[in-house]
Amino acid sequence: MPHDRLRKFNIRDRFAAGADWDGAMVVRTEDEIYVSGQIGSELDGSRTHGSGHTAEDAAIQAEIALRNLTVLLGEAGATLDDICRINVNITDRAYRTPIYRTIGRHMRGVHPVSTGLIVNGLARPEILFTLDVAVVPQRGVKHTRLRRYHSDDAQYGFERQKIGCDFCQVVRAGRRIYLRGQMGQNLEDTLTDIGDAGTQAAQAMRNVEALLGEAGAALSDIAKIILYVTDRAHLSPAREAVLRHLGAVPCALSEIIVKGLASPDLAMEVDVFAVQA
């Protein structure tokens, strides 16, 4: 069966991108829903809200993005409850709290896994953040969400952040397993090594192995890993630690240098996507 492609658009009409390309805001396959990254723009691209580059503007953009996401998922026959993971890309650390508080208000009780990145820029200067989601419709069988927590009770590096979100460490949706981005702190939220990307990556991979085990999976079920580091100098030691832990497990690997992670104390983070064989 062909995929359903909803809200088709030409990128030239939405973003004045100088390209003639037809896309879709939502693609619905037999068992997953893919949504374009949501920003603070109207769904027809007519206006971007909150373009003043303040924390208040970031909150406005997050509100529009969550409103649009709810509409798009509804048109595809899903809801926010079907979201397994979120990825939040933010252009300035000062925007992190207002954006996450808005996400937390809209997604209260959902408990997705999450990765949050500070990036150098997005498609246009007025875009302060983008929200990407992984969505698997539940169809009567609820996703398993392990190690649920509230962000205000969690440690990010050596600090606590009042960002008001319900998250978890693992979401299992059928055979698919999504993990929260794993960092150098252990599963009890203890971080001991600032600036040592190799040591942090080794701890992150120990977390990955433990969490996969709790979800009934193993390292051999990993399909893809994305390794984020905050400095090019961190890439080699972090990669070495990740690959050493993987051993003979071949998987797809991406490596990305970002401006920052959830806390300045963190030098690396790893996203893991697994499918139980």
Side-chain angles (χ1 to χ4, degrees), residues 4-21:
D4 293 324
R5 300 177 187 273
L6 310 177
R7 288 206 181 231
K8 295 179 182 180
F9 65 92
N10 190 288
I11 196 170
R12 174 191 56 210
D13 302 326
R14 285 183 52 83
F15 301 119
D20 183 12
W21 177 77

Side-chain angles (χ1 to χ4, degrees), residues 133-202:
V133 295
V135 183
V136 179
Q138 297 179 85
R139 295 173 182 161
V141 180
K142 288 188 174 296
H143 302 327
T144 301
R145 300 176 188 267
L146 305 177
R147 288 186 179 251
R148 300 185 184 203
Y149 65 96
H150 192 274
S151 61
D152 293 8
D153 302 322
Q155 197 93 350
Y156 296 87
F158 287 107
E159 62 182 346
R160 292 186 183 273
Q161 301 175 13
K162 300 295 184 180
I163 58 175
C165 290
D166 290 331
F167 288 138
C168 72
Q169 291 277 6
V170 186
V171 174
R172 177 161 186 154
R175 294 167 53 223
R176 293 178 178 81
I177 299 164
Y178 303 89
L179 301 188
R180 170 192 171 181
Q182 292 302 308
M183 306 158 286
Q185 57 197 55
N186 62 29
L187 294 176
E188 285 69 49
D189 278 348
T190 300
L191 175 70
T192 57
D193 298 283
I194 295 181
D196 188 335
T199 301
Q200 289 190 15

